[in-house]
Amino acid sequence: MITLGEYIVKTQSEHPSATGELTSLLSSIRRAAKIVNREINRAGLVTDIIGGSNGSENVQGEVQQKLDVFANDKFKAALEARGEVCGIASEEEDYFVCFDSAKRSDAKYVVLMDPLDGSSNIDVNVSVGTIFSIYRRVSEPGTPVVMEDFLQPGVNQVAAGYVVYGSSTMLVYTTGNGVHGFTYDPSLGSFCLSHENIRIPEEGKIYSINEGNYIKFPEGVKKYLKYCQEQDETTKRPYTSRYIGSLVSDFHRNMLKGGIYIYPSGTSAPNGKLRLLYECNPLAFLAEQAGGKASDGFQRIMEIKPTELHQRTPYFVGSTAMVEKAESFMTKFSSPA
Ligand code: P6P
């Protein structure tokens, strides 16, 4: 049994260039995840304090669940408490947040996060997740962070990961050397290595999409869904439809079993629903590190040059063969925006 902390130190020692700052940063994320995990597990018991909505809306116009705000505050505080992070951007923050540490020349990282994705599922006891993405700052060390520090393409990520608060709580991350999963053991209060070097199956038989939006889908998506539902012995179709409505949970299942998750553009959401910077890019980094693929239906997600902090993008992510098949239908039946 090896804990997350021990594993980070062990693998860091294999990279002499690593200075330990990323190690400390990942440890702060681990700490916040334990605190959020505890409150999620209590949500049903203390709805007046933790569960339900707090009545306010975030920049997306989405009603904020109390736990959204709680999670945002805990991750922000944990990241600010260590000296490696200059600032953060979050789904729950209208603008990026500059930390005092930005005035220190050795604070070299920025973190972008969705502190509690799928939080509307909490009241009905469906799993939710935290997603994080880590970059080196591009602005002058020792100065306040600027928007360019956050508007970097996904290929610049130095680390990314998620926490899935499900039947068990897992933290899954990559620093560019494979994807590794750790399961939380409440009796120890530690995340323990349970899934070393996760590889997403090249082919999968599961597709995840909200078919309630079918009428708004691009023609290429409609044709791909028809393909998934056809009878074909050789490719073991029809595939299985699985949609939890919680991105991290759908993504995590597909990572382990193979599959594709699609949130396409639609007439009411011309760029889809998911955010490029703190949902699509970190999961794309993980998918690619595990041998999978992530695109907007036409181009690699991690090569998109961001222009806005909360910009959205259509999203196709999962088993490489499935994503490429979906892209072939997108190319054949609809042109890029
Ligand atoms: P819809 C949750 O709000 C979320 O961002 C993802 O976790 C989830 O996959 C998606 O939205 C669900 O959206 O439109 O299908 O309800």
Side-chain angles (χ1 to χ4, degrees):
M1 178 78 73
I2 181 170
T3 66
L4 173 58
E6 290 161 346
Y7 191 83
I8 293 172
V9 171
K10 168 180 170 290
T11 48
Q12 182 234 314
S13 62
E14 290 161 7
H15 300 279
S17 59
T19 59
E21 290 163 313
L22 192 55
T23 302
S24 173
L25 200 170
L26 288 170
S27 297
S28 58
I29 289 174
R30 173 190 58 184
R31 181 170 172 275
K34 291 181 186 178
I35 295 169
V36 172
N37 178 60
R38 182 186 62 202
E39 292 309 311
I40 286 173
N41 291 337
R42 295 184 335 125
L45 299 171
V46 285
T47 48
D48 57 316
I49 304 170
I50 292 294
S53 72
N54 68 356
S56 62
E57 286 188 353
N58 61 16
V59 65
Q60 328 293 340
E62 293 164 346
V63 174
Q64 280 183 315
Q65 302 296 322
K66 288 176 184 171
L67 263 176
D68 273 326
V69 176
F70 176 86
N72 187 63
D73 292 348
K74 293 305 173 190
F75 278 99
K76 188 164 58 171
L79 291 167
E80 186 159 26
R82 308 282 179 101
E84 303 83 14
V85 178
C86 313
I88 62 112
S90 167
E91 181 184 88
E92 306 305 328
E93 302 278 352
D94 296 356
Y95 202 65
F96 64 80
V97 177
C98 179
F99 289 161
D100 282 347
S101 52
K103 299 170 191 155
R104 288 178 32 190
S105 57
D106 57 347
K108 63 173 74 150
Y109 297 108
V110 294
V111 178
L112 295 94
M113 64 181 178
D114 183 354
L116 205 59
D117 179 77
S119 52
S120 55
N121 290 308
I122 289 168
D123 289 351
V124 293
N125 210 14
V126 167
S127 52
V128 293
T130 296
I131 309 171
F132 61 90
S133 176
I134 303 171
Y135 293 83
R136 284 190 184 78
R137 71 180 302 173
V138 293
S139 56
E140 194 58 36
T143 64
V145 286
V146 294
M147 185 60 87
E148 285 66 31
D149 290 312
F150 299 94
L151 298 184
Q152 299 187 51
V155 289
N156 289 5
Q157 292 175 96
V158 294
Y162 60 83
V163 184
V164 52
Y165 310 94
S167 46
S168 66
T169 294
M170 277 191 71
L171 190 152
V172 179
Y173 82 95
T174 184
T175 56
N177 300 293
V179 179
H180 311 293
F182 299 78
T183 300
Y184 186 60
D185 181 339
S187 68
L188 296 176
S190 298
F191 283 98
C192 301
L193 182 63
S194 54
H195 298 71
E196 187 169 24
N197 203 21
I198 294 172
R199 302 297 293 169
I200 187 168
E202 162 77 15
E203 252 304 351
K205 304 287 176 280
I206 296 171
Y207 65 96
S208 308
I209 187 169
N210 183 346
E211 294 189 69
N213 298 323
Y214 181 86
I215 195 168
K216 304 172 192 166
F217 288 158
E219 193 58 25
V221 171
K222 292 179 178 177
K223 295 293 187 194
Y224 177 64
L225 290 178
K226 184 173 182 300
Y227 169 83
C228 291
Q229 294 156 4
E230 285 169 345
Q231 184 72 40
D232 179 286
E233 283 305 309
T234 54
T235 54
K236 297 186 177 60
R237 287 178 287 145
Y239 296 153
T240 295
S241 172
R242 286 284 184 277
Y243 193 68
I244 301 171
S246 182
L247 170 61
V248 171
S249 303
D250 281 313
F251 179 81
H252 181 68
R253 182 208 48 247
N254 290 350
M255 281 281 274
L256 299 184
K257 296 193 167 185
I260 185 171
Y261 173 98
I262 303 174
Y263 207 105
S265 59
T267 45
S268 53
N271 291 316
K273 176 180 183 182
L274 301 183
R275 291 74 160 184
L276 172 63
L277 290 182
Y278 42 78
E279 290 174 331
C280 298
N281 267 333
L283 297 186
F285 190 16
L286 289 156
E288 292 195 3
Q289 281 288 310
K293 191 167 185 181
S295 82
D296 64 0
F298 302 100
Q299 64 177 318
R300 185 185 179 203
I301 280 288
M302 293 212 290
E303 289 180 354
I304 295 175
K305 178 67 182 88
T307 53
E308 291 167 29
L309 213 46
H310 301 288
Q311 76 184 67
R312 302 172 192 264
T313 176
Y315 199 43
F316 298 66
V317 65
S319 296
T320 297
M322 298 184 84
V323 173
E324 291 179 346
K325 189 69 176 175
E327 289 171 339
S328 69
F329 282 98
M330 290 301 284
T331 303
K332 185 175 179 184
F333 293 99
S334 50
S335 55

